[in-house]
Amino acid sequence: MILHTPRKRPEPWQMQHSKLRHPWLVPLLAIDWAFEWIAFVLSRWSFLEVLEYLSSFSILVAVIFYFSESGDRLKQKHYQAWQVINTAQGKGGSGGRIEALQELNQDGVPLVGIDVSGAFLQGVRLPRARNSDFQAADFTNANLHSGNFRESNLNRANFQDADLGEADLCSANLTGAVLDGATLDAADLGNSDLGKVKWRKIKSVKGANIRQVRNAPEGFIQWATQHGAVTTESQSDCR
């Protein structure tokens, strides 16, 4: 007989079984493990070369394992992101929060109650950040175009040179926020609180909705209107 290079000895069943996270996969794993042992024992004989095709079954089992545990991997990823954010809470700098926030936001995870007070988040992109707490957060030069900050706490947040074009700031708390150099074209500021906001160096407000803004600084409404801001109904109820 023509001898072939022996297969690698399969792992013991206890070791294979310990890797499982879903009991319903035990039968599939047992079948695959049994075929591996048959192929290992008989691999020296060329007439059993057909057993090589059993590798396709192993691939199938591997695919099933991958998709069955995909939900667990996603949960682990989100847990690690929240851990980064919570560990850095109350501290300056980024602390890895930019990547963590973007990851959660991209996966559609609600950021309700999140606190990144005092964080430096330059360049962060958060198109879905609704009803969140970003008090004193630093968004300097951040790309927040089309961001959803509806009803968010943005008290004393720094938006210097940030892009807030088409952002939803409806009913947001912007008291004391810094808007120097910020672009607010077509942003919805309806019913937002603008008390003590730093606005005189805003870059652009063309098409921004300033309907029923609250506590607007003296001169802001007139200036914004002269520079293209409008007073229209918000796309959805904004109270």
Side-chain angles (χ1 to χ4, degrees):
M1 299 183 192
I2 300 176
L3 299 181
H4 294 264
T5 303
R7 288 172 172 265
K8 181 180 178 181
R9 185 184 184 87
E11 293 180 343
W13 171 249
Q14 291 81 359
M15 187 176 298
Q16 288 271 11
H17 189 271
S18 65
K19 296 178 181 179
L20 275 182
R21 303 180 68 176
H22 300 284
W24 62 270
L25 290 172
V26 172
L28 289 174
L29 181 65
I31 295 173
D32 182 59
W33 181 76
F35 273 119
E36 285 183 359
W37 268 105
I38 293 173
F40 169 73
V41 173
L42 303 177
S43 61
R44 293 178 177 275
W45 288 272
S46 59
F47 69 88
L48 293 173
E49 194 170 353
V50 69
L51 292 176
E52 294 292 336
Y53 292 102
L54 291 174
S55 60
S56 60
F57 183 80
S58 298
I59 294 175
L60 176 60
V61 173
V63 170
I64 294 174
F65 285 166
Y66 178 84
F67 284 104
S68 68
E69 298 184 356
S70 59
D72 293 328
R73 285 194 298 274
L74 186 61
K75 291 179 181 178
Q76 180 66 18
K77 183 178 72 169
H78 292 168
Y79 171 78
Q80 292 174 349
W82 279 113
Q83 193 171 41
V84 167
I85 295 169
N86 292 332
T87 301
Q89 186 172 334
K91 301 178 182 178
S94 168
R97 282 175 285 191
I98 290 178
E99 294 79 7
L101 287 168
Q102 290 181 159
E103 189 173 87
L104 292 171
N105 184 255
Q106 182 178 2
D107 290 345
V109 178
L111 297 175
V112 176
I114 195 169
D115 185 355
V116 290
S117 302
F120 182 74
L121 302 173
Q122 179 174 333
V124 68
R125 295 210 60 177
L126 299 170
R128 303 177 182 175
R130 176 174 179 172
N131 195 26
S132 301
D133 187 351
F134 290 108
Q135 180 173 316
D138 192 337
F139 292 106
T140 301
N141 200 35
N143 184 347
L144 301 169
H145 193 91
S146 300
N148 188 342
F149 291 95
R150 176 176 290 248
E151 301 176 3
S152 294
N153 180 14
L154 300 167
N155 177 34
R156 294 182 291 110
N158 186 357
F159 291 103
Q160 184 171 350
D161 298 323
D163 180 3
L164 286 164
E166 299 185 15
D168 186 351
L169 295 163
C170 182
S171 297
N173 177 13
L174 287 162
T175 55
V178 178
L179 297 175
D180 293 344
T183 299
L184 291 159
D185 292 347
D188 190 352
L189 293 162
N191 201 44
S192 61
D193 190 340
L194 302 181
K196 298 181 180 179
V197 68
K198 296 183 179 180
W199 60 275
R200 295 189 179 277
K201 295 182 180 180
I202 291 177
K203 183 177 181 180
S204 178
V205 290
K206 186 176 181 180
N209 181 23
I210 57 173
R211 183 176 184 271
Q212 295 182 339
V213 293
R214 293 172 287 129
N215 303 317
E218 184 178 355
F220 172 78
I221 300 294
Q222 182 180 0
W223 174 87
T225 303
Q226 291 174 348
H227 287 80
V230 296
T231 53
T232 60
E233 292 282 352
S234 299
Q235 291 183 352
S236 58
D237 191 21
C238 190
R239 292 179 292 180

PDB file of all heavy atoms in Angstrom, residues 17-43:
ATOM      1  N   HIS A  17     -15.122  19.318  23.940  1.00  0.00           N
ATOM      2  CA  HIS A  17     -16.409  19.640  24.566  1.00  0.00           C
ATOM      3  C   HIS A  17     -16.332  20.908  25.406  1.00  0.00           C
ATOM      4  O   HIS A  17     -17.303  21.684  25.486  1.00  0.00           O
ATOM      5  CB  HIS A  17     -16.856  18.455  25.426  1.00  0.00           C
ATOM      6  CG  HIS A  17     -18.250  18.590  25.951  1.00  0.00           C
ATOM      7  ND1 HIS A  17     -18.543  19.207  27.147  1.00  0.00           N
ATOM      8  CD2 HIS A  17     -19.448  18.192  25.425  1.00  0.00           C
ATOM      9  CE1 HIS A  17     -19.847  19.188  27.351  1.00  0.00           C
ATOM     10  NE2 HIS A  17     -20.433  18.579  26.322  1.00  0.00           N
ATOM     11  N   SER A  18     -15.185  21.138  26.042  1.00  0.00           N
ATOM     12  CA  SER A  18     -15.042  22.314  26.911  1.00  0.00           C
ATOM     13  C   SER A  18     -15.094  23.623  26.139  1.00  0.00           C
ATOM     14  O   SER A  18     -15.350  24.684  26.713  1.00  0.00           O
ATOM     15  CB  SER A  18     -13.719  22.236  27.681  1.00  0.00           C
ATOM     16  OG  SER A  18     -12.613  22.305  26.784  1.00  0.00           O
ATOM     17  N   LYS A  19     -14.850  23.573  24.844  1.00  0.00           N
ATOM     18  CA  LYS A  19     -14.851  24.785  24.027  1.00  0.00           C
ATOM     19  C   LYS A  19     -16.261  25.204  23.615  1.00  0.00           C
ATOM     20  O   LYS A  19     -16.471  26.317  23.130  1.00  0.00           O
ATOM     21  CB  LYS A  19     -14.013  24.589  22.763  1.00  0.00           C
ATOM     22  CG  LYS A  19     -12.532  24.343  23.044  1.00  0.00           C
ATOM     23  CD  LYS A  19     -11.770  24.113  21.746  1.00  0.00           C
ATOM     24  CE  LYS A  19     -10.302  23.845  22.003  1.00  0.00           C
ATOM     25  NZ  LYS A  19      -9.560  23.589  20.747  1.00  0.00           N
ATOM     26  N   LEU A  20     -17.219  24.307  23.800  1.00  0.00           N
ATOM     27  CA  LEU A  20     -18.588  24.604  23.369  1.00  0.00           C
ATOM     28  C   LEU A  20     -19.257  25.593  24.316  1.00  0.00           C
ATOM     29  O   LEU A  20     -19.073  25.531  25.523  1.00  0.00           O
ATOM     30  CB  LEU A  20     -19.421  23.323  23.330  1.00  0.00           C
ATOM     31  CG  LEU A  20     -19.342  22.486  22.058  1.00  0.00           C
ATOM     32  CD1 LEU A  20     -20.265  21.300  22.188  1.00  0.00           C
ATOM     33  CD2 LEU A  20     -19.728  23.301  20.843  1.00  0.00           C
ATOM     34  N   ARG A  21     -20.068  26.472  23.718  1.00  0.00           N
ATOM     35  CA  ARG A  21     -20.829  27.433  24.511  1.00  0.00           C
ATOM     36  C   ARG A  21     -22.330  27.220  24.346  1.00  0.00           C
ATOM     37  O   ARG A  21     -23.122  27.858  25.015  1.00  0.00           O
ATOM     38  CB  ARG A  21     -20.456  28.862  24.115  1.00  0.00           C
ATOM     39  CG  ARG A  21     -18.970  29.150  24.266  1.00  0.00           C
ATOM     40  CD  ARG A  21     -18.628  30.566  23.881  1.00  0.00           C
ATOM     41  NE  ARG A  21     -19.195  31.517  24.819  1.00  0.00           N
ATOM     42  CZ  ARG A  21     -18.979  32.828  24.748  1.00  0.00           C
ATOM     43  NH1 ARG A  21     -18.243  33.325  23.780  1.00  0.00           N
ATOM     44  NH2 ARG A  21     -19.510  33.640  25.628  1.00  0.00           N
ATOM     45  N   HIS A  22     -22.685  26.339  23.405  1.00  0.00           N
ATOM     46  CA  HIS A  22     -24.107  26.059  23.167  1.00  0.00           C
ATOM     47  C   HIS A  22     -24.319  24.539  23.178  1.00  0.00           C
ATOM     48  O   HIS A  22     -23.791  23.834  22.306  1.00  0.00           O
ATOM     49  CB  HIS A  22     -24.554  26.636  21.825  1.00  0.00           C
ATOM     50  CG  HIS A  22     -24.387  28.119  21.744  1.00  0.00           C
ATOM     51  ND1 HIS A  22     -25.234  29.003  22.372  1.00  0.00           N
ATOM     52  CD2 HIS A  22     -23.446  28.879  21.128  1.00  0.00           C
ATOM     53  CE1 HIS A  22     -24.834  30.239  22.132  1.00  0.00           C
ATOM     54  NE2 HIS A  22     -23.754  30.192  21.391  1.00  0.00           N
ATOM     55  N   PRO A  23     -25.076  24.016  24.137  1.00  0.00           N
ATOM     56  CA  PRO A  23     -25.289  22.563  24.253  1.00  0.00           C
ATOM     57  C   PRO A  23     -25.855  21.922  23.000  1.00  0.00           C
ATOM     58  O   PRO A  23     -25.561  20.767  22.712  1.00  0.00           O
ATOM     59  CB  PRO A  23     -26.277  22.462  25.436  1.00  0.00           C
ATOM     60  CG  PRO A  23     -26.061  23.710  26.232  1.00  0.00           C
ATOM     61  CD  PRO A  23     -25.737  24.776  25.210  1.00  0.00           C
ATOM     62  N   TRP A  24     -26.665  22.664  22.249  1.00  0.00           N
ATOM     63  CA  TRP A  24     -27.302  22.056  21.079  1.00  0.00           C
ATOM     64  C   TRP A  24     -26.314  21.711  19.972  1.00  0.00           C
ATOM     65  O   TRP A  24     -26.649  21.003  19.030  1.00  0.00           O
ATOM     66  CB  TRP A  24     -28.399  22.967  20.539  1.00  0.00           C
ATOM     67  CG  TRP A  24     -27.938  24.307  20.056  1.00  0.00           C
ATOM     68  CD1 TRP A  24     -27.828  25.443  20.776  1.00  0.00           C
ATOM     69  CD2 TRP A  24     -27.524  24.651  18.728  1.00  0.00           C
ATOM     70  NE1 TRP A  24     -27.366  26.481  20.013  1.00  0.00           N
ATOM     71  CE2 TRP A  24     -27.178  26.026  18.733  1.00  0.00           C
ATOM     72  CE3 TRP A  24     -27.407  23.935  17.529  1.00  0.00           C
ATOM     73  CZ2 TRP A  24     -26.719  26.689  17.601  1.00  0.00           C
ATOM     74  CZ3 TRP A  24     -26.954  24.595  16.393  1.00  0.00           C
ATOM     75  CH2 TRP A  24     -26.618  25.957  16.441  1.00  0.00           C
ATOM     76  N   LEU A  25     -25.077  22.179  20.101  1.00  0.00           N
ATOM     77  CA  LEU A  25     -24.070  21.875  19.086  1.00  0.00           C
ATOM     78  C   LEU A  25     -23.297  20.593  19.389  1.00  0.00           C
ATOM     79  O   LEU A  25     -22.473  20.157  18.585  1.00  0.00           O
ATOM     80  CB  LEU A  25     -23.083  23.046  18.969  1.00  0.00           C
ATOM     81  CG  LEU A  25     -23.635  24.338  18.357  1.00  0.00           C
ATOM     82  CD1 LEU A  25     -22.622  25.462  18.479  1.00  0.00           C
ATOM     83  CD2 LEU A  25     -23.990  24.116  16.896  1.00  0.00           C
ATOM     84  N   VAL A  26     -23.557  19.969  20.559  1.00  0.00           N
ATOM     85  CA  VAL A  26     -22.817  18.767  20.955  1.00  0.00           C
ATOM     86  C   VAL A  26     -22.934  17.644  19.922  1.00  0.00           C
ATOM     87  O   VAL A  26     -21.916  17.029  19.554  1.00  0.00           O
ATOM     88  CB  VAL A  26     -23.285  18.289  22.347  1.00  0.00           C
ATOM     89  CG1 VAL A  26     -22.667  16.932  22.681  1.00  0.00           C
ATOM     90  CG2 VAL A  26     -22.903  19.311  23.405  1.00  0.00           C
ATOM     91  N   PRO A  27     -24.135  17.325  19.417  1.00  0.00           N
ATOM     92  CA  PRO A  27     -24.228  16.227  18.426  1.00  0.00           C
ATOM     93  C   PRO A  27     -23.368  16.477  17.184  1.00  0.00           C
ATOM     94  O   PRO A  27     -22.710  15.553  16.685  1.00  0.00           O
ATOM     95  CB  PRO A  27     -25.720  16.197  18.080  1.00  0.00           C
ATOM     96  CG  PRO A  27     -26.394  16.792  19.267  1.00  0.00           C
ATOM     97  CD  PRO A  27     -25.470  17.857  19.755  1.00  0.00           C
ATOM     98  N   LEU A  28     -23.391  17.701  16.676  1.00  0.00           N
ATOM     99  CA  LEU A  28     -22.582  18.010  15.487  1.00  0.00           C
ATOM    100  C   LEU A  28     -21.096  17.863  15.777  1.00  0.00           C
ATOM    101  O   LEU A  28     -20.336  17.321  14.972  1.00  0.00           O
ATOM    102  CB  LEU A  28     -22.886  19.434  15.014  1.00  0.00           C
ATOM    103  CG  LEU A  28     -24.253  19.671  14.372  1.00  0.00           C
ATOM    104  CD1 LEU A  28     -24.463  21.153  14.093  1.00  0.00           C
ATOM    105  CD2 LEU A  28     -24.374  18.873  13.080  1.00  0.00           C
ATOM    106  N   LEU A  29     -20.682  18.349  16.939  1.00  0.00           N
ATOM    107  CA  LEU A  29     -19.274  18.240  17.307  1.00  0.00           C
ATOM    108  C   LEU A  29     -18.866  16.780  17.471  1.00  0.00           C
ATOM    109  O   LEU A  29     -17.770  16.380  17.057  1.00  0.00           O
ATOM    110  CB  LEU A  29     -19.020  19.014  18.606  1.00  0.00           C
ATOM    111  CG  LEU A  29     -17.564  18.999  19.093  1.00  0.00           C
ATOM    112  CD1 LEU A  29     -16.667  19.714  18.098  1.00  0.00           C
ATOM    113  CD2 LEU A  29     -17.454  19.641  20.467  1.00  0.00           C
ATOM    114  N   ALA A  30     -19.754  15.965  18.065  1.00  0.00           N
ATOM    115  CA  ALA A  30     -19.454  14.549  18.271  1.00  0.00           C
ATOM    116  C   ALA A  30     -19.255  13.825  16.938  1.00  0.00           C
ATOM    117  O   ALA A  30     -18.332  13.011  16.789  1.00  0.00           O
ATOM    118  CB  ALA A  30     -20.586  13.897  19.075  1.00  0.00           C
ATOM    119  N   ILE A  31     -20.110  14.117  15.970  1.00  0.00           N
ATOM    120  CA  ILE A  31     -19.981  13.486  14.646  1.00  0.00           C
ATOM    121  C   ILE A  31     -18.667  13.891  13.991  1.00  0.00           C
ATOM    122  O   ILE A  31     -17.930  13.063  13.447  1.00  0.00           O
ATOM    123  CB  ILE A  31     -21.171  13.878  13.752  1.00  0.00           C
ATOM    124  CG1 ILE A  31     -22.477  13.305  14.320  1.00  0.00           C
ATOM    125  CG2 ILE A  31     -20.959  13.402  12.324  1.00  0.00           C
ATOM    126  CD1 ILE A  31     -23.714  13.789  13.591  1.00  0.00           C
ATOM    127  N   ASP A  32     -18.383  15.184  14.045  1.00  0.00           N
ATOM    128  CA  ASP A  32     -17.144  15.674  13.444  1.00  0.00           C
ATOM    129  C   ASP A  32     -15.921  15.066  14.119  1.00  0.00           C
ATOM    130  O   ASP A  32     -14.962  14.645  13.460  1.00  0.00           O
ATOM    131  CB  ASP A  32     -17.106  17.206  13.543  1.00  0.00           C
ATOM    132  CG  ASP A  32     -15.863  17.777  12.896  1.00  0.00           C
ATOM    133  OD1 ASP A  32     -15.659  17.555  11.683  1.00  0.00           O
ATOM    134  OD2 ASP A  32     -15.093  18.464  13.591  1.00  0.00           O
ATOM    135  N   TRP A  33     -15.955  14.980  15.443  1.00  0.00           N
ATOM    136  CA  TRP A  33     -14.834  14.424  16.201  1.00  0.00           C
ATOM    137  C   TRP A  33     -14.639  12.938  15.876  1.00  0.00           C
ATOM    138  O   TRP A  33     -13.499  12.466  15.724  1.00  0.00           O
ATOM    139  CB  TRP A  33     -15.122  14.617  17.688  1.00  0.00           C
ATOM    140  CG  TRP A  33     -14.032  14.121  18.598  1.00  0.00           C
ATOM    141  CD1 TRP A  33     -12.837  14.707  18.858  1.00  0.00           C
ATOM    142  CD2 TRP A  33     -14.055  12.923  19.372  1.00  0.00           C
ATOM    143  NE1 TRP A  33     -12.109  13.960  19.752  1.00  0.00           N
ATOM    144  CE2 TRP A  33     -12.839  12.847  20.094  1.00  0.00           C
ATOM    145  CE3 TRP A  33     -14.993  11.902  19.552  1.00  0.00           C
ATOM    146  CZ2 TRP A  33     -12.535  11.800  20.957  1.00  0.00           C
ATOM    147  CZ3 TRP A  33     -14.694  10.860  20.423  1.00  0.00           C
ATOM    148  CH2 TRP A  33     -13.477  10.808  21.119  1.00  0.00           C
ATOM    149  N   ALA A  34     -15.751  12.209  15.722  1.00  0.00           N
ATOM    150  CA  ALA A  34     -15.672  10.785  15.383  1.00  0.00           C
ATOM    151  C   ALA A  34     -15.049  10.582  14.005  1.00  0.00           C
ATOM    152  O   ALA A  34     -14.188   9.704  13.810  1.00  0.00           O
ATOM    153  CB  ALA A  34     -17.062  10.158  15.426  1.00  0.00           C
ATOM    154  N   PHE A  35     -15.441  11.389  13.020  1.00  0.00           N
ATOM    155  CA  PHE A  35     -14.862  11.280  11.684  1.00  0.00           C
ATOM    156  C   PHE A  35     -13.379  11.617  11.693  1.00  0.00           C
ATOM    157  O   PHE A  35     -12.582  11.023  10.949  1.00  0.00           O
ATOM    158  CB  PHE A  35     -15.606  12.203  10.722  1.00  0.00           C
ATOM    159  CG  PHE A  35     -16.824  11.572  10.103  1.00  0.00           C
ATOM    160  CD1 PHE A  35     -18.080  12.109  10.316  1.00  0.00           C
ATOM    161  CD2 PHE A  35     -16.710  10.439   9.308  1.00  0.00           C
ATOM    162  CE1 PHE A  35     -19.207  11.534   9.749  1.00  0.00           C
ATOM    163  CE2 PHE A  35     -17.833   9.856   8.731  1.00  0.00           C
ATOM    164  CZ  PHE A  35     -19.089  10.408   8.963  1.00  0.00           C
ATOM    165  N   GLU A  36     -13.008  12.575  12.506  1.00  0.00           N
ATOM    166  CA  GLU A  36     -11.580  12.920  12.595  1.00  0.00           C
ATOM    167  C   GLU A  36     -10.760  11.739  13.104  1.00  0.00           C
ATOM    168  O   GLU A  36      -9.663  11.473  12.618  1.00  0.00           O
ATOM    169  CB  GLU A  36     -11.401  14.126  13.522  1.00  0.00           C
ATOM    170  CG  GLU A  36     -11.804  15.463  12.907  1.00  0.00           C
ATOM    171  CD  GLU A  36     -11.533  16.633  13.826  1.00  0.00           C
ATOM    172  OE1 GLU A  36     -11.044  16.399  14.955  1.00  0.00           O
ATOM    173  OE2 GLU A  36     -11.804  17.762  13.420  1.00  0.00           O
ATOM    174  N   TRP A  37     -11.293  11.035  14.105  1.00  0.00           N
ATOM    175  CA  TRP A  37     -10.583   9.874  14.637  1.00  0.00           C
ATOM    176  C   TRP A  37     -10.527   8.736  13.610  1.00  0.00           C
ATOM    177  O   TRP A  37      -9.497   8.069  13.465  1.00  0.00           O
ATOM    178  CB  TRP A  37     -11.271   9.389  15.920  1.00  0.00           C
ATOM    179  CG  TRP A  37     -10.665  10.021  17.143  1.00  0.00           C
ATOM    180  CD1 TRP A  37     -11.180  11.006  17.901  1.00  0.00           C
ATOM    181  CD2 TRP A  37      -9.400   9.682  17.709  1.00  0.00           C
ATOM    182  NE1 TRP A  37     -10.321  11.332  18.917  1.00  0.00           N
ATOM    183  CE2 TRP A  37      -9.212  10.524  18.828  1.00  0.00           C
ATOM    184  CE3 TRP A  37      -8.402   8.752  17.387  1.00  0.00           C
ATOM    185  CZ2 TRP A  37      -8.073  10.474  19.626  1.00  0.00           C
ATOM    186  CZ3 TRP A  37      -7.263   8.692  18.192  1.00  0.00           C
ATOM    187  CH2 TRP A  37      -7.098   9.549  19.290  1.00  0.00           C
ATOM    188  N   ILE A  38     -11.617   8.509  12.888  1.00  0.00           N
ATOM    189  CA  ILE A  38     -11.606   7.461  11.848  1.00  0.00           C
ATOM    190  C   ILE A  38     -10.566   7.785  10.788  1.00  0.00           C
ATOM    191  O   ILE A  38      -9.790   6.917  10.368  1.00  0.00           O
ATOM    192  CB  ILE A  38     -13.012   7.331  11.217  1.00  0.00           C
ATOM    193  CG1 ILE A  38     -14.017   6.802  12.239  1.00  0.00           C
ATOM    194  CG2 ILE A  38     -12.965   6.416   9.994  1.00  0.00           C
ATOM    195  CD1 ILE A  38     -15.457   6.807  11.749  1.00  0.00           C
ATOM    196  N   ALA A  39     -10.562   9.048  10.360  1.00  0.00           N
ATOM    197  CA  ALA A  39      -9.604   9.457   9.344  1.00  0.00           C
ATOM    198  C   ALA A  39      -8.176   9.358   9.866  1.00  0.00           C
ATOM    199  O   ALA A  39      -7.253   8.967   9.136  1.00  0.00           O
ATOM    200  CB  ALA A  39      -9.903  10.894   8.907  1.00  0.00           C
ATOM    201  N   PHE A  40      -7.972   9.667  11.138  1.00  0.00           N
ATOM    202  CA  PHE A  40      -6.637   9.603  11.721  1.00  0.00           C
ATOM    203  C   PHE A  40      -6.121   8.163  11.789  1.00  0.00           C
ATOM    204  O   PHE A  40      -4.976   7.876  11.418  1.00  0.00           O
ATOM    205  CB  PHE A  40      -6.659  10.228  13.126  1.00  0.00           C
ATOM    206  CG  PHE A  40      -5.400   9.979  13.916  1.00  0.00           C
ATOM    207  CD1 PHE A  40      -4.232  10.641  13.607  1.00  0.00           C
ATOM    208  CD2 PHE A  40      -5.392   9.059  14.966  1.00  0.00           C
ATOM    209  CE1 PHE A  40      -3.067  10.409  14.321  1.00  0.00           C
ATOM    210  CE2 PHE A  40      -4.235   8.829  15.690  1.00  0.00           C
ATOM    211  CZ  PHE A  40      -3.058   9.494  15.370  1.00  0.00           C
ATOM    212  N   VAL A  41      -6.969   7.272  12.222  1.00  0.00           N
ATOM    213  CA  VAL A  41      -6.574   5.867  12.383  1.00  0.00           C
ATOM    214  C   VAL A  41      -6.319   5.192  11.036  1.00  0.00           C
ATOM    215  O   VAL A  41      -5.388   4.391  10.872  1.00  0.00           O
ATOM    216  CB  VAL A  41      -7.662   5.100  13.167  1.00  0.00           C
ATOM    217  CG1 VAL A  41      -7.351   3.608  13.202  1.00  0.00           C
ATOM    218  CG2 VAL A  41      -7.772   5.645  14.590  1.00  0.00           C
ATOM    219  N   LEU A  42      -7.135   5.534  10.039  1.00  0.00           N
ATOM    220  CA  LEU A  42      -7.064   4.828   8.761  1.00  0.00           C
ATOM    221  C   LEU A  42      -6.380   5.623   7.652  1.00  0.00           C
ATOM    222  O   LEU A  42      -6.402   5.199   6.495  1.00  0.00           O
ATOM    223  CB  LEU A  42      -8.478   4.451   8.304  1.00  0.00           C
ATOM    224  CG  LEU A  42      -9.294   3.598   9.292  1.00  0.00           C
ATOM    225  CD1 LEU A  42     -10.689   3.368   8.743  1.00  0.00           C
ATOM    226  CD2 LEU A  42      -8.589   2.265   9.557  1.00  0.00           C
ATOM    227  N   SER A  43      -5.769   6.737   7.995  1.00  0.00           N
ATOM    228  CA  SER A  43      -5.215   7.594   6.952  1.00  0.00           C
ATOM    229  C   SER A  43      -4.004   7.001   6.234  1.00  0.00           C
ATOM    230  O   SER A  43      -3.594   7.497   5.188  1.00  0.00           O
ATOM    231  CB  SER A  43      -4.814   8.949   7.558  1.00  0.00           C
ATOM    232  OG  SER A  43      -3.818   8.766   8.571  1.00  0.00           O
TER     233      SER A  43
END
